[in-house]
């Protein structure tokens, strides 16, 4: 188990910069997820740790060892691939024992270890079979067992659940997380699925266009996004272009279409200086009758465009200005009172919103 | 009314039947009648030609040389073409396609032209020998023409492109992630090759190897030109038996021997490889 550190690591391909200078400390035993859309640099970051590629500038450390320039064979890493990359011509036992055999372990030691691992991933009895004789979920477990067989310093996972169906994916998320906790192994996980990231991670690093935009716990990146991209990428959000804010004792004050809006300010929060947007999650918004008097909350008036029942909530779209609609999650019991064309007011607490640079 | 596309097969079938099946049948049937000289054959059905083919040392030597040069050329072609196929299959840029096109084009240049290239370079007064002698490296000219080595080189030249094309398509079916998986779990490039690439290429190496071997067994032009009238393989000997000795029956016999030998060797190789079970997981 080792920490992993990036020091000003950059990766360029010709004139294209896949990874802007990255400083990142991944703690010992931590489950860190690199989250972002395709092409954001998350896979590049993972492959820099693996040693499949080398940084154009800067350094990568595993533990206290600078591994820049060291080939993948000598890094003491385990990895689970997107397509599992199990060796089709080897039995499950040979697959799981691959790293052990390369390390020079005796046949007996390998066998014992493989049995333990099959127990860990709950796949006893398949050691004589070939990968093609297993289901996708079983192959996934074999891939995990192979990756941790030699107790690597770091475990890398590159979208390992992408090929599984939704139900299996959810149970595997929990299972992978349990295995990781049991082993206490430092894990770097790549995904573009924010739910998966939030389900599994100690911390999430959100990446966009080669830049790590924010790193923090699931709660932090969801409740306190620091950039518009993070706010937009994680969960659902309403982004409303507002006036440039001014700071007054503990609050920021901004405006939309002449209405004053108060925004709570977390300590250390930097206010936008060029163009501001206000972000509010749909579940933080309430719909009240149009003639309600504001009572310590922000309030904007608008007209319901449509209300859609989606099961646990009603998604209400309200037009609050020219070409500006916001979505509110409302309780299903309110459905009869909400119909298209109604004039309503939308309210929220000052601390529920956050100001971001557009 | 349904369109009978299958009717389009009929012209090709007639063409093939007359030119190949019928002519070969007549040719092979002739092998059971004794040559009387000047192209005439006896009316008496017997096995005398076959008896001769399997007792006369000259014919047996020729069969042995044919198998030997074909096997050597096959090994040489596989050894040379595998790295090329591997590198091209793993290229990400369009250079891979350009190189592959180059190989296809050069493969389909007639072997006559290509072999004459070899002859020009390696002949006794070719520039290679003149340079070597001028530099004092050799006293007498060294030539591969008329030697078995020369024939092997000619056959390799003939089959190299086919080897690359076959193996290229095999390497392409091996996901690159398997190489990465082997390397990150501790295998050096060489170990990775032995444990992953080579076993997974085995079906392709067998198929490609047999194809190259069969091409060599039947190759005439490169064997004839580089054999220089001194090294005889069965196809060269068959041509000679027809054109110079005018013994159609004996030629038919040799053709039958060649055909049966090729089929037997192919069946045997496949049986041996099956037994080795090298590729069980791959074929499963």
């Amino acid at each position: 188990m080792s920490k992993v550190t990036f020091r000003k690591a950059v990766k360029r391909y010709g004139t294209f910069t896949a990874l802007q200078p990255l400083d990142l400390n991944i703690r010992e035993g931590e489950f860190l997820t690199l989250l972002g859309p395709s092409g954001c640099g998350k896979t590049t970051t993972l492959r820099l740790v693996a040693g499949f590629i080398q940084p154009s500038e800067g350094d990568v450390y595993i533990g206290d060892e600078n591994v820049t320039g060291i080939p993948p064979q000598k890094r003491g890493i385990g990895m689970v691939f997107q397509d599992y990359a199990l060796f089709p011509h080897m039995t499950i036992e040979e697959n799981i024992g691959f790293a052990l055999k390369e390390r020079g372990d005796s046949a007996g030691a390998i066998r014992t270890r493989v049995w333990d691992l099959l127990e860990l991933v709950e796949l006893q009895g398949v050691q004589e079979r070939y990968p093609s004789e297993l289901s996708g979920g079983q192959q996934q477990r074999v891939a995990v067992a192979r990756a941790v067989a030699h107790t690597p310093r770091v475990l890398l996972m590159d979208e390992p659940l992408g090929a599984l169906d939704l139900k299996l994916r959810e149970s595997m998320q929990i299972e992978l997380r349990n295995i990781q906790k049991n082993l206490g192994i430092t894990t770097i996980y790549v995904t573009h699925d924010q739910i998966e990231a939030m389900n599994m991670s100690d911390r999430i690093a959100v990446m966009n266009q080669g830049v790590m935009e924010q790193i923090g716990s699931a709660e932090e990146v969801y409740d306190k996004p620091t950039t518009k991209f993070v706010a937009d990428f994680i969960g659902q959000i309403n982004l409303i272009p507002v006036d440039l804010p001014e700071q007054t004792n503990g609050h920021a004050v901004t405006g939309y279409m002449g209405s004053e809006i108060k925004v709570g300010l977390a300590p250390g929060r930097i206010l936008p200086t060029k163009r501001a947007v206000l972000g509010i999650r749909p579940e933080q918004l309430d719909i009240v009758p149009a003639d309600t008097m504001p009572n310590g909350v922000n309030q904007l008036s608008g007209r319901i465009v449509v209300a859609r029942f989606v099961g646990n909530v009603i998604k209400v779209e309200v037009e609050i200005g020219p070409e500006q609609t916001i979505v509110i999650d409302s309780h299903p019991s309110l459905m009869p009172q909400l119909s298209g064309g109604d004039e309503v007011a939308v309210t929220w607490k000052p601390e529920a919103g956050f100001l971001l640079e557009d | 009314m349904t369109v009978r596309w299958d009717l389009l097969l009929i012209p090709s079938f007639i063409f093939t039947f007359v030119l190949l099946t019928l002519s070969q049948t007549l040719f092979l049937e002739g092998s059971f009648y004794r040559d009387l000289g000047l192209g005439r054959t006896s009316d008496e059905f017997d096995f005398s030609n076959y008896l001769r083919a399997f007792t006369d040392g000259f014919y047996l030597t020729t069969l042995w040389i044919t198998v030997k040069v074909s096997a050597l050329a096959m090994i040489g072609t596989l050894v040379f073409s595998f790295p090329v196929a591997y590198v091209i299959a793993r290229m990400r840029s369009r250079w891979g396609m350009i190189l592959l096109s180059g190989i296809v084009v050069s493969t389909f240049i007639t072997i006559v032209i290509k072999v004459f290239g070899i002859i020009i370079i390696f002949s006794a007064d070719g520039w290679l020998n003149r340079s070597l002698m001028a530099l004092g490296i050799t006293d007498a000219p060294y030539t591969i023409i008329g030697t078995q080595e020369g024939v092997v080189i000619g056959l390799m030249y003939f089959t190299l492109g086919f080897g690359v094309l076959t193996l290229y398509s095999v390497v392409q079916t091996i996901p690159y992630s398997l190489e990465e998986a082997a390397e990150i779990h501790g295998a050096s490039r060489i170990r990775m090759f032995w444990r992953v690439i080579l076993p997974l290429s085995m079906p392709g190496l067998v198929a490609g190897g047999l194809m190259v071997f069969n091409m060599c067994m039947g190759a005439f032009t490169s064997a004839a030109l580089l054999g220089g009238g001194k090294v005889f393989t069965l196809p060269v000997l068959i041509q000679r038996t027809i054109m110079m000795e005018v013994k159609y029956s004996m030629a038919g016999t040799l053709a039958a021997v060649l055909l049966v030998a090729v089929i037997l060797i192919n069946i045997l190789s496949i049986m041996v490889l099956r037994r080795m079970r090298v590729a069980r997981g791959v074929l499963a």
Side-chain angles (χ1 to χ4, degrees):
Chain A
M1 318 309 121
S2 298
K3 57 187 181 183
V4 176
T5 314
F6 284 79
R7 289 208 188 134
K8 304 239 176 318
V10 181
K11 185 62 191 177
R12 285 189 212 96
Y13 293 100
T15 53
F16 172 71
T17 306
L19 183 66
Q20 302 284 355
L22 176 68
D23 279 301
L24 174 62
N25 293 300
I26 301 160
R27 298 163 194 150
E28 265 184 56
E30 180 176 31
F31 193 116
L32 180 103
T33 296
L34 301 168
L35 175 68
S38 56
C40 70
K42 58 189 193 291
T43 300
T44 303
T45 308
L46 192 79
R47 294 173 70 80
L48 281 170
V49 181
F52 294 140
I53 52 175
Q54 299 294 343
S56 311
E57 281 170 35
D59 295 293
V60 179
Y61 290 78
I62 297 177
D64 294 321
E65 181 195 2
N66 186 344
V67 294
T68 314
I70 291 177
Q73 291 86 345
K74 301 200 170 120
R75 291 194 174 196
I77 284 177
M79 181 157 172
V80 180
F81 291 79
Q82 193 168 9
D83 60 355
Y84 313 143
L86 297 176
F87 305 117
H89 58 301
M90 294 183 197
T91 62
I92 300 309
E93 179 167 349
E94 288 168 327
N95 265 285
I96 296 177
F98 187 92
L100 304 173
K101 188 167 176 188
E102 288 307 315
R103 190 168 74 178
D105 285 12
S106 72
I110 294 176
R111 170 147 297 190
T112 315
R113 177 78 178 137
V114 168
W115 280 70
D116 289 348
L117 286 160
L118 283 171
E119 202 179 309
L120 176 78
V121 298
E122 289 167 15
L123 266 184
Q124 295 96 323
V126 302
Q127 60 274 5
E128 297 298 321
R129 293 204 221 157
Y130 286 87
S132 60
E133 297 164 353
L134 300 187
S135 71
Q138 291 174 318
Q139 291 184 27
Q140 167 70 58
R141 288 154 196 256
V142 173
V144 172
R146 178 182 66 180
V148 300
H150 52 307
T151 45
R153 295 195 283 177
V154 183
L155 175 62
L156 307 178
M157 295 202 236
D158 185 8
E159 309 226 13
L161 304 180
L164 302 177
D165 60 60
L166 187 64
K167 276 262 187 303
L168 191 54
R169 197 153 66 211
E170 282 172 353
S171 64
M172 280 305 292
Q173 286 169 10
I174 298 162
E175 207 169 315
L176 280 185
R177 179 60 166 149
N178 287 340
I179 292 172
Q180 187 267 344
K181 269 190 180 158
N182 274 341
L183 300 172
I185 189 168
T186 312
T187 301
I188 308 177
Y189 190 95
V190 161
T191 185
H192 61 264
D193 181 343
Q194 38 146 331
I195 309 285
E196 198 167 291
M198 295 173 97
N199 264 342
M200 302 175 79
S201 320
D202 291 317
R203 284 192 302 165
I204 300 172
V206 185
M207 300 191 68
N208 181 37
Q209 298 187 332
V211 178
M212 194 181 76
E213 299 233 349
Q214 187 175 356
I215 182 165
S217 66
E219 293 83 357
E220 280 167 340
V221 291
Y222 186 82
D223 292 336
K224 293 168 198 142
T226 53
T227 69
K228 185 184 165 192
F229 175 82
V230 174
D232 203 17
F233 192 78
I234 310 244
Q236 260 200 315
I237 194 150
N238 295 297
L239 293 169
I240 307 162
V242 291
D243 305 334
L244 272 183
E246 279 165 28
Q247 194 164 347
T248 53
N249 49 8
H251 280 98
V253 177
T254 177
Y256 176 73
M257 307 272 297
S259 306
E260 192 186 84
I261 294 172
K262 270 190 183 176
V263 182
L265 269 188
R269 189 101 195 178
I270 301 155
L271 287 178
T273 53
K274 295 189 195 89
R275 283 170 53 194
V277 286
L278 175 72
I280 323 161
R281 302 278 177 201
E283 67 271 19
Q284 302 282 2
L285 291 162
D286 289 310
I287 296 181
V288 294
D291 51 7
T292 310
M293 287 305 291
N295 175 23
V297 293
N298 293 305
Q299 183 166 336
L300 290 174
S301 51
R303 178 187 292 115
I304 294 179
V305 180
V306 69
R308 281 174 293 123
F309 177 74
V310 293
N312 52 343
V313 291
I314 319 172
K315 297 252 169 223
V316 189
E317 245 177 78
V318 174
E319 190 176 7
I320 54 162
E323 289 182 25
Q324 180 67 50
T325 58
I326 58 176
V327 176
I328 297 117
D329 284 354
S330 210
H331 195 268
S333 63
L334 296 173
M335 188 73 183
Q337 301 162 36
L338 304 166
S339 49
D342 287 0
E343 298 284 342
V344 291
V346 177
T347 65
W348 70 97
K349 291 180 190 141
E351 54 271 27
F354 34 80
L355 286 160
L356 302 163
E357 190 77 64
D358 193 4
Chain B
M1 201 188 106
T2 50
V3 184
R4 295 290 305 274
W5 290 107
D6 49 351
L7 294 179
L8 289 173
L9 297 174
I10 292 176
S12 312
F13 176 74
I14 295 172
F15 195 73
T16 314
F17 185 77
V18 172
L19 289 183
L20 184 75
T21 319
L22 200 60
S23 70
Q24 289 301 304
T25 312
L26 293 171
F27 197 49
L28 290 179
E29 195 212 347
S31 70
F32 294 102
Y33 299 92
R34 198 190 298 261
D35 280 300
L36 299 175
L38 297 174
R40 290 171 302 128
T41 49
S42 83
D43 303 332
E44 227 174 299
F45 185 94
D46 65 21
F47 292 93
S48 59
N49 290 327
Y50 287 94
L51 201 64
R52 227 189 117 195
F54 286 110
T55 49
D56 189 324
F58 176 66
Y59 291 124
L60 286 176
T61 310
T62 306
L63 176 61
W64 164 239
I65 288 174
T66 311
V67 173
K68 188 171 85 174
V69 294
S70 299
L72 288 172
M74 175 194 78
I75 293 166
T77 293
L78 291 182
V79 167
F80 272 86
S81 52
F82 195 84
V84 178
Y86 177 80
V87 170
I88 293 178
R90 287 293 184 242
M91 276 186 176
R92 301 253 176 103
S93 64
R94 60 201 172 92
W95 273 105
M97 271 302 123
I98 293 171
L99 286 174
L100 205 63
S101 314
I103 288 166
V104 171
V105 169
S106 68
T107 300
F108 290 105
I109 292 173
T110 171
I111 188 67
V112 176
I113 293 174
K114 292 201 279 192
V115 164
F116 273 121
I118 298 185
I119 291 175
I120 290 167
I121 292 171
F122 286 100
S123 63
D125 60 346
W127 66 260
L128 184 68
N129 271 312
R130 272 186 288 168
S131 316
L132 287 176
M133 285 192 287
L135 291 168
I137 297 169
T138 53
D139 298 330
Y142 171 75
T143 182
I144 59 162
I145 296 145
T147 67
Q148 286 185 22
E149 294 84 355
V151 175
V152 171
I153 289 173
L155 290 174
M156 279 175 62
Y157 201 5
F158 173 46
T159 56
L160 213 55
F162 296 99
V164 172
L165 289 177
T166 316
L167 295 175
Y168 166 82
S169 59
V170 173
V171 176
Q172 266 211 322
T173 64
I174 304 173
Y176 188 63
S177 60
L178 292 186
E179 294 187 24
E180 292 188 332
E183 288 184 275
I184 200 141
H185 296 119
S188 65
R189 291 292 295 177
I190 293 169
R191 291 279 302 162
M192 184 279 289
F193 180 81
W194 277 109
R195 286 194 75 186
V196 178
I197 298 294
L198 197 62
L200 288 177
S201 305
M202 213 30 107
L205 281 168
V206 171
L210 284 178
M211 182 190 77
V212 167
F213 179 79
N214 296 341
M215 284 174 75
C216 290
M217 288 292 284
F220 171 73
T221 314
S222 40
L225 292 178
L226 283 160
K230 291 176 192 151
V231 179
F232 292 110
T233 60
L234 273 176
V236 176
L237 190 61
I238 291 167
Q239 189 262 358
R240 196 186 158 94
T241 310
I242 296 173
M243 303 303 287
M244 298 176 72
E245 300 176 18
V246 210
K247 289 180 181 167
Y248 296 125
S249 298
M250 194 63 217
T253 307
L254 294 174
V257 169
L258 177 60
L259 187 67
V260 171
V262 166
I263 292 172
L264 276 181
I265 290 171
N266 278 270
I267 291 173
L268 274 175
S269 321
I270 291 169
M271 280 168 62
V272 168
L273 287 159
R274 275 266 166 84
R275 184 148 302 180
M276 283 164 65
R277 286 177 61 230
V278 250
R280 188 188 142 187
V282 184
L283 298 174

